[in-house]
């Protein structure tokens, strides 16, 4: 590990917890219990689902079961991007027609504002700063992809998106060698842990029962089974995202994709003046193995990427510890973007898992014959998508129970979408690692041979993996 990364805190769940502190533990399940709805998973999806269901029907007895503590998974480790991207939209356009996908995108645009509004209404100080999302290109191949991406977003109704050249991009953030960018106003940055802590407190204040330290080992109709007892309910909703593979019979349902992050020490005023970034935009790029970053409220840069993308057998980590090579790679991205920050120290590094379905499509489902529901497969876009999924689960449960009819949300194309399981090992491991090796090779080629177009190998990897 080089001098910039030496001494960094590694693991400990995430910087966000180091910054805000671990939550006081809630009591585990004490034995068999009953409820009207049991939610498995205490992350964004599970907590938002409990929140909206309880607000809509205060008489419901809702229990949330969380294996560690609320926000232990991706909800407490993500990059803090609250934005309007949703996994699988283009596939849904092919399956259900363009207008259906436009409705899905409109719902995602509105979801960003819904999270901001609800956090304010509930008094949740999540450090939300609305600055949109700026995605930059710094090679000719990336610029071609950026322009195509921008036009595609316009075709899905995002008429307030803006395309910038090199000078306009530098006016927002001075990314080295940036030749263009696309900006959407439908985005914000936030402190993930402050959001999940505030949401958990709001859910409990409404009268929802939350049990932590209670791993669910099996879900079956009307039963959520734990080592401490079984919770029986007409509706059992699985909201476990990257940890889904740990449930009985679910090992190949969603692949737990690993994503890693670093955060710098606080930058000086002069350093910020050198790179700009005064508008609090979330920052991404058009690389095949893309990065994501934000300027934190306390003046750091938090930056993430894939690192080691997948552990054999769908294993997940315990405390977020990250390989030294991944920390180095992320620091190299930071310096490539902002050469003036070469001497800035990495203060903290961590990793976490996100859920990836075989067709890379986020979904919301309620099986009306069993009462089993689930939402997830966000492929890294879960901070906002979890909120839309939760409101959709609310509407599906209310529709099924006769409390309400169908809604605009229950008619969106991602509802009740089914997908095949991932391949068994070692094919799963070989496929994912092969895909990301190809992406990184393509990115290096575009950087070192700037005249080339987008890699054919990367497009082939997209098709073979099912991403497009």
């Amino acid at each position: 590990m080089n001098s910039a990364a030496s001494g960094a805190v590694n693991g400990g769940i995430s910087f966000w917890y180091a910054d805000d502190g671990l939550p006081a533990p809630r009591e585990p399940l004490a034995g068999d219990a009953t409820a009207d709805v049991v939610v498995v998973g205490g992350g964004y999806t599970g907590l938002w689902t409990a929140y909206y269901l309880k607000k809509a029907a205060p008489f419901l007895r809702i229990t949330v079961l969380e294996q560690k503590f609320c926000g232990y998974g991706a909800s407490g480790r993500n990059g803090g991007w609250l934005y309007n991207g949703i996994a699988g939209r283009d596939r849904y356009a092919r399956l259900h027609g363009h207008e259906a996908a436009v409705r899905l995108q409109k719902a995602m645009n509105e979801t960003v504002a819904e999270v901001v509004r609800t956090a304010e209404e509930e008094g949740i100080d999540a450090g939300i700063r609305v600055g949109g999302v700026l995605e930059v290109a710094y090679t000719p191949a990336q610029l071609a992809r950026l322009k195509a991406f921008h036009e595609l977003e316009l075709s899905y109704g995002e008429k307030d998106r803006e395309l910038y050249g090199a000078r306009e991009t530098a006016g927002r953030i001075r990314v080295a060698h940036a030749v263009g960018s696309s900006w959407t106003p439908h985005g914000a940055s936030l402190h993930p842990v402050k959001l999940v802590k505030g949401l958990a407190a709001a859910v409990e204040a409404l009268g929802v029962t939350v049990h932590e330290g209670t791993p669910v080992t099996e879900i079956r109709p009307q039963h959520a089974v734990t080592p401490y007892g079984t919770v029986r309910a007409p509706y059992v909703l699985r909201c476990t995202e990257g940890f889904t593979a740990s449930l009985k019979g679910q090992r190949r349902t969603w692949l737990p994709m690993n994503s890693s992050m670093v955060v710098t020490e606080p930058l000086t005023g002069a350093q910020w003046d050198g790179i700009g970034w005064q508008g609090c935009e979330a920052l991404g790029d058009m690389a095949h193995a893309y990065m994501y970053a934000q300027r934190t409220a306390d003046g750091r840069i938090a930056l993430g990427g894939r690192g080691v993308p997948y552990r054999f057998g769908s294993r997940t980590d315990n405390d977020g510890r990250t390989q030294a090579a991944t920390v180095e790679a992320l620091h190299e991205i930071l310096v490539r973007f902002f050469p003036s920050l070469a001497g800035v120290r990495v203060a903290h590094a961590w990793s976490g898992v996100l859920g990836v379905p075989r067709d890379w499509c986020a979904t919301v489902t309620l099986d009306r014959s069993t009462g089993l529901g689930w939402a997830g497969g966000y492929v890294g876009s879960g901070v906002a998508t979890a909120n839309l999924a939760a409101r959709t689960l609310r509407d599906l449960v209310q529709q099924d129970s006769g409390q309400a009819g169908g809604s605009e949300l229950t008619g969106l194309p991602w509802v009740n979408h089914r997908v095949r399981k991932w391949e068994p090992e070692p094919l799963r491991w070989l496929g994912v690692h092969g895909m990301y090796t190809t992406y990184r090779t393509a990115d290096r080629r575009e950087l070192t041979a700037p005249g080339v177009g987008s890699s054919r190998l990367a497009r082939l990897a997209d098709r073979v993996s099912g991403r497009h």
Side-chain angles (χ1 to χ4, degrees), residues 77-415:
R77 309 191 198 192
N78 63 80
W81 269 42
L82 176 71
Y83 87 118
N84 66 339
I86 183 167
R89 181 198 60 192
D90 295 347
R91 186 180 298 272
Y92 288 129
R94 294 194 294 270
L95 291 172
H96 301 278
H98 183 74
E99 287 307 310
V102 169
R103 288 189 288 109
L104 182 59
Q105 185 60 64
K106 179 175 181 290
M108 278 305 307
N109 296 347
E110 294 168 349
T111 294
V112 174
E114 168 68 12
V115 173
V116 175
R117 181 197 66 78
T118 306
E120 183 176 349
E121 181 180 285
E122 293 293 341
I124 300 173
D125 181 8
I128 298 175
R129 290 159 299 134
V130 181
V133 178
L134 186 75
E135 291 168 281
V136 302
Y138 46 86
T139 69
Q142 284 192 19
L143 182 61
R145 290 197 297 274
L146 175 83
K147 291 178 177 178
F149 163 76
H150 182 84
E151 291 302 318
L152 185 64
E153 298 309 294
L154 295 182
S155 77
Y156 284 112
E158 201 181 335
K159 303 305 182 185
D160 44 5
R161 178 175 283 273
E162 298 176 6
L163 182 66
Y164 302 141
R167 182 177 299 178
E168 295 164 303
T169 300
R172 282 189 174 269
I173 307 176
R174 288 190 279 281
V175 174
H177 310 299
V179 289
S181 62
S182 180
W183 177 81
T184 176
H186 302 291
S189 57
L190 52 77
H191 192 298
V193 162
K194 290 182 178 180
L195 177 60
V196 77
K197 282 185 177 180
L199 185 53
V203 163
E204 281 194 311
L206 290 173
V208 172
T209 300
V210 180
H211 291 299
E212 295 180 329
T214 306
V216 173
T217 57
E218 182 182 2
I219 294 173
R220 57 179 187 262
Q222 301 185 17
H223 295 75
V225 181
T226 85
Y228 312 122
T230 296
V231 182
R232 292 170 173 81
Y235 298 99
V236 182
L237 308 179
R238 190 188 80 219
C239 304
T240 48
E241 192 57 355
F243 290 88
T244 299
S246 64
L247 293 165
K248 182 178 179 180
Q250 303 293 336
R251 184 165 296 278
R252 291 166 53 199
T253 298
W254 289 338
L255 184 141
M257 183 77 75
N258 199 53
S259 197
S260 300
M261 292 200 69
V262 296
V263 67
T264 68
E265 61 190 350
L267 304 189
T268 66
Q271 286 170 326
W272 282 117
D273 288 343
I275 65 176
W277 208 344
Q278 302 302 315
C280 300
E281 301 92 341
L283 175 65
D285 71 358
M286 297 305 295
H288 298 290
Y290 52 83
M291 59 76 72
Y292 50 94
Q294 68 149 297
R295 172 179 177 166
T296 68
D298 63 346
R300 306 168 187 262
I301 294 177
L303 182 149
R306 282 294 175 263
V308 177
Y310 173 69
R311 293 179 175 88
F312 190 89
S314 291
R315 293 194 300 269
T316 57
D317 69 90
N318 290 319
D319 66 353
R321 189 162 182 82
T322 301
Q323 289 189 345
T326 298
V327 180
E328 292 291 344
L330 293 174
H331 183 258
E332 287 172 5
I333 293 173
L334 173 73
V335 175
R336 184 195 312 146
F337 272 55
F338 307 114
S340 64
L341 303 185
V344 170
R345 190 177 65 88
V346 170
H348 200 130
W350 70 98
S351 296
V353 293
L354 48 98
V356 181
R358 186 60 184 86
D359 65 356
W360 301 71
C361 290
T363 57
V364 183
T365 298
L366 180 66
D367 186 335
R368 303 185 71 172
S369 67
T370 63
L372 297 178
W374 57 89
Y378 305 132
V379 196
S381 301
V383 179
T385 313
N387 178 277
L388 178 61
R391 287 182 285 128
T392 305
L393 275 177
R394 171 202 61 194
D395 289 0
L396 288 169
V397 169
Q398 288 204 288
Q399 179 185 19
D400 183 71
S401 62
Q403 298 172 30
S407 69
E408 288 185 9
L409 299 186
T410 60
L412 292 175
W414 70 329
V415 173

